[in-house]
Amino acid sequence: MTSLWKIVSFIVATYTIAVVISDPQLSVFQKACSNYDATNPVVFRANRNKTLSNLRLQLSSNDGIHFAISQQPIQPDPVYAMFQCRNYLNSSDCLACFDSAETQIRSYCPLDGGARVFYDGCFLRYESIGFVDQILVSDNFRLCGNNVISQETTFARTVDELLSDIIAATPKINGYFAASSREVGGGTIAYAVAQCPERISPTACNGCLLAAYEKINSCVPQSEGRASDHGCFLRYSNSTFFNGYKETDLSLFLKGGGSSKTFIGAMVGGLAFLLFVAVFTLWFQFLRRKPAKEGDILVATELRGPMNYRYNDLVSAAKKFSEQNKLGEGGFGDVYKGTLTNGKVIAVKKLAIWKSIRAKADFESEVKLISNVHHRNLSRLLGYCSKRQELLLVYEYMANTSLDKFLFGDRCGTLNWKQRFDIIVGTARGLAYLHEEFHVCIIHRDIKSSNILLDDHFQPRIADFGLARLLPEDQTHINTRFAGTLGYTAPEYVINGQLSSRVDTYSYGVVVLEIISGRRSNDLQLEPFTEYLLELAWRLHEEDKLMDLVDRSLDINEYNTDEMKKGIGIALLCTQSSVARPSMSEVVSLLTSKGFSDYRPTRPTFIDPNTRVPNDSSNSPVSSNATIAITEASGR
Ligand SMILES: *[C@@H]1O[C@H](CO)[C@@H](O)[C@H](O)[C@H]1NC(C)=O
Ligand SMILES: *[C@@H]1O[C@H](CO)[C@@H](O)[C@H](O)[C@H]1NC(C)=O
Ligand SMILES: *[C@@H]1O[C@H](CO)[C@@H](O)[C@H](O)[C@H]1NC(C)=O
């Protein structure tokens, strides 16, 4: 039951080819099982049920998505699942394909191990090993039709050109899907589609499609061919199978237009190299594999790892950490702007918590973990440097600084409603990723508007995630300078140190209220009532005057009242008592689903955000003479 055994059996997994029946989208093209068995079938099945129902929730609550992943990392049998459907299916057909695939996949494999089901319309897979970033290109397969077409040579040439073009274009297309057709002559038309899973890199997409091309090539001149390699899919036919779907203009993605055999030749050469690299890295992983908790194999980013910068390079990049280069002071240390000799602009964080950090070895493995987190709403950790008593972290630089500057600072009132709503949704997505999609659940613990950076297009990037993990467990919640900022921090965490992902949900709700109202959470308003932002929001909710909360600098013609009320309603759901708070993926679903629901949140406990928790740590953060003022919920 070692992980090595799991991997070996995973690779020799058996494939069986199923019959293709007439309905093109819901016929099973292929099914396969992975030959390992779960350590604890009860845990495994519960995890599997959760990932499958989460996939379905994502599909049914987001119109127009064609790709979803989900994971339940609960040991000893975590489950990772992925679903993909062809972009020419509309949402209801995509969901129908999922439902059919789910029924198939549940009943197909005898062991409690991984399974995959391939349909013409979609693909579903789960494993107890993370596979979404996988670049393995060795177990692909094909299925050919059994009718040779009449204009053999012209058809073969046309299909070959069409496939070459579609393979070259797909990795460059956002969403990795292309559909196209080409005239053969004599009334015959060749149709083709290509698709890759959205999480892999363009290079991996290219490699996967090339492996599929090698297979499908031998189907021509049959009238039909399909090939697949894990998530990527390639299909051609002499009859249309994506009726009514807008074809991709391939010429936009092809250099110099037209197809070229030499291009494919070069790429097949590249594929051989990629295979070599894959085999080599796999071997390398076997040799040095530790009993790691994540169990991911062949994750490309893990091999690259964070960059170890030279101390002197960072000192000169940040002009000796001069005052002019200082960008801000965060809970974990000061941040400086720096310019490397190659012209790249970076942000360098000088960690002020060196003495609290458990051990240096720990530091490096945590940094490695954080640098593996890639999501468009999370700030990228590029590398680090540790020298004697100094620890430096290097991040991408964000020219638009942080959200607080746009809400209350020198640029206040400059964000319109659309930009604010994008920030609300993006931040929720980033947190949902940290909590539920990354292979380790990372709780941020210090979500606040100054920790949300804005990129050039005002899309949010959450900063400082993972750093709270560097602190010893029993200290984090006591020292608010390091984890948690009063006014944003959930009451159960401040008072009892109870940590769960719902702590971030609470802080997120407070940030949403700040975004909508343009008011700081810990500014005390005196007139007409003495109250903090959260108290104000709950009072207005109870008096049914929610719209009074909205920032006056927002253009009233620009937003829709229902959307605004929905935003406030969701923020209030997030600040309820911890058991009643939604998870961040539920928040994403609520925000992105259409229509308005009348939320009935329940009033929480309030904490006075200006009361300080003592900084010196005794073991129990709240003794009988606690200095935290708690206003118990009154009435209702
Ligand atoms: C998983 O779901 C199936 C079908 O919905 C159900 O029969 C089974 O009891 C569930 N198992 C667990 C462990 O939740
Ligand atoms: C989706 O497409 C199918 C045909 O493929 C059609 O029958 C169905 O009505 C469509 N559904 C929606 C909601 O547009
Ligand atoms: C595709 O080719 C097969 C085999 O030659 C033929 O029977 C079928 O009618 C063709 N379909 C179309 C739409 O031309």
Side-chain angles (χ1 to χ4, degrees), residues 147-150 187-188 223 238-240:
N147 290 311
V148 172
I149 204 136
S150 45
T188 305
S223 60
N238 69 333
S239 13
T240 176

Side-chain angles (χ1 to χ4, degrees), residues 1 22 64 87 111 180 243 411 538 595 611 626:
M1 232 34 262
S22 62
N87 290 27
L111 296 174
S180 187
N243 247 334
R411 295 164 84 175
W538 280 95
T611 321

Side-chain angles (χ1 to χ4, degrees), residues 26 52-66 83-86 89-103 121-122 124:
L26 284 186
L52 293 178
S53 60
N54 179 270
L55 287 181
R56 195 174 196 285
L57 178 73
Q58 292 183 49
L59 294 171
S60 56
S61 54
N62 298 300
D63 236 353
I65 66 165
H66 296 95
F83 177 76
Q84 175 193 53
C85 69
R86 315 296 164 225
L89 294 189
N90 61 27
S91 299
S92 47
D93 282 352
C94 184
L95 201 58
C97 200
F98 176 86
D99 288 340
S100 174
E102 187 189 353
T103 314
C122 64
L124 176 63

Side-chain angles (χ1 to χ4, degrees), residues 41-49 102 106:
V42 177
V43 174
F44 180 82
R45 286 177 202 166
N47 282 341
R48 182 181 63 180
N49 280 5
E102 187 189 353
R106 275 180 186 282

Side-chain angles (χ1 to χ4, degrees), residues 285-433:
Q285 288 268 314
F286 273 140
L287 290 184
R288 50 161 235 163
R289 190 165 176 87
K290 294 180 290 221
K293 52 182 174 244
E294 54 264 21
D296 273 12
I297 57 165
L298 284 178
V299 177
T301 47
E302 223 168 68
L303 299 174
R304 220 182 303 128
M307 171 128 174
N308 193 346
Y309 286 89
R310 284 178 44 205
Y311 185 73
N312 289 343
D313 291 349
L314 294 182
V315 171
S316 63
K319 304 239 165 60
K320 299 189 174 149
F321 301 111
S322 67
E323 275 303 303
Q324 293 116 278
N325 277 45
K326 194 156 164 178
L327 294 170
E329 297 171 14
F332 294 92
D334 298 344
V335 187
Y336 297 83
K337 180 177 175 176
T339 311
L340 295 171
T341 45
N342 64 9
K344 190 176 169 64
V345 184
I346 51 172
V348 185
K349 184 180 282 275
K350 268 179 109 167
L351 286 185
I353 51 171
W354 173 230
K355 291 199 189 74
S356 322
I357 289 175
R358 285 167 279 177
K360 191 167 162 205
D362 247 18
F363 168 75
E364 287 185 359
S365 70
E366 289 298 328
V367 165
K368 199 165 161 227
L369 179 86
I370 300 168
S371 73
N372 272 325
V373 179
H374 299 279
H375 187 277
R376 65 176 179 280
N377 297 118
L378 298 172
S379 80
R380 271 290 306 283
L381 176 67
L382 302 173
Y384 68 102
C385 166
S386 63
K387 193 185 177 194
R388 276 174 263 130
Q389 292 300 302
E390 292 237 65
L391 283 179
L392 305 173
L393 294 179
V394 179
Y395 288 94
E396 273 179 325
Y397 173 73
M398 291 288 135
N400 272 325
T401 67
S402 52
L403 176 61
D404 58 331
K405 305 272 191 321
F406 288 84
L407 294 178
F408 338 105
D410 44 1
R411 295 164 84 175
C412 92
T414 55
L415 291 176
N416 64 29
W417 173 242
K418 167 143 197 335
Q419 289 167 323
R420 292 190 201 204
F421 192 73
D422 282 355
I423 294 168
I424 290 173
V425 176
T427 306
R429 290 209 162 106
L431 282 173
Y433 182 82

